[in-house]
């Protein structure tokens, strides 16, 4: 990123292009190539990129320009990252559920011990 990111929730396409040092036409093309890049649109049709969208644009740029991946390769890498993130979330949720179950078992065992 060449410029400091302003502290706001949404960015217009021109702002994202400037922050990422890209042309707006490149951003519009990437929207058609990467399904996960879907900025909101205002009532007037203006693209509104969230901070997550901006981070995604910078990731795509890094994959394509720095790592020299093809669009298909970058798409595949982003899908894998997303799947890993979903897997980590599922593991975290599962471990929280297991902790909760263990707490319940512990409390039941305490009750049993106290009743003896």
């Amino acid at each position: 990123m060449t410029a400091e990111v302003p502290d706001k929730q949404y960015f217009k396409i021109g702002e994202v292009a400037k922050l990422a040092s890209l042309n707006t036409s490149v951003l519009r093309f990437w929207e058609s190539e990467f399904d996960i890049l879907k900025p909101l649109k205002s009532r007037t049709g203006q693209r509104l990129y969230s901070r997550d969208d901006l981070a995604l644009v910078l990731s795509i740029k890094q994959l394509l320009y720095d790592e020299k991946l093809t669009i298909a390769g970058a798409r595949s890498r982003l899908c894998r990252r997303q799947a890993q993130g979903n897997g980590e979330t599922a593991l975290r949720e599962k471990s929280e559920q297991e902790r909760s179950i263990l707490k319940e078992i512990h409390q039941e065992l305490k009750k049993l011990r106290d009743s003896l």
Side-chain angles (χ1 to χ4, degrees), residues 35-48:
D35 291 339
I36 57 176
L37 182 59
K38 294 272 187 231
L40 296 174
K41 291 196 178 174
S42 68
R43 284 184 241 169
T44 60
Q46 178 80 39
R47 286 169 171 81
L48 299 173

Side-chain angles (χ1 to χ4, degrees), residues 3-85:
E4 187 175 321
V5 178
D7 187 27
K8 58 187 201 174
Q9 195 170 8
Y10 292 102
F11 305 88
K12 294 180 182 176
I13 192 169
E15 294 171 310
V16 173
K18 185 175 180 182
L19 290 168
S21 300
L22 296 167
N23 289 325
T24 56
S25 59
V26 171
L27 293 173
R28 288 191 296 273
F29 174 71
W30 286 357
E31 286 176 31
S32 69
E33 293 296 319
F34 296 93
D35 291 339
I36 57 176
L37 182 59
K38 294 272 187 231
L40 296 174
K41 291 196 178 174
S42 68
R43 284 184 241 169
T44 60
Q46 178 80 39
R47 286 169 171 81
L48 299 173
Y49 289 81
S50 67
R51 295 183 82 76
D52 289 339
D53 291 331
L54 175 59
L56 181 58
V57 164
L58 295 172
S59 292
I60 292 169
K61 180 182 178 190
Q62 191 258 335
L63 291 171
L64 295 176
Y65 292 17
D66 297 339
E67 295 186 30
K68 307 284 189 215
L69 294 177
T70 62
I71 288 179
R75 192 182 303 122
S76 174
R77 180 86 56 92
L78 289 170
C79 287
R80 271 196 312 245
R81 284 183 190 171
Q82 191 175 27
Q84 286 175 344

Side-chain angles (χ1 to χ4, degrees), residues 85-96:
N86 291 343
E88 289 171 5
T89 302
L91 282 175
R92 209 173 304 119
E93 289 173 357
K94 185 176 180 182
S95 67
E96 289 174 10

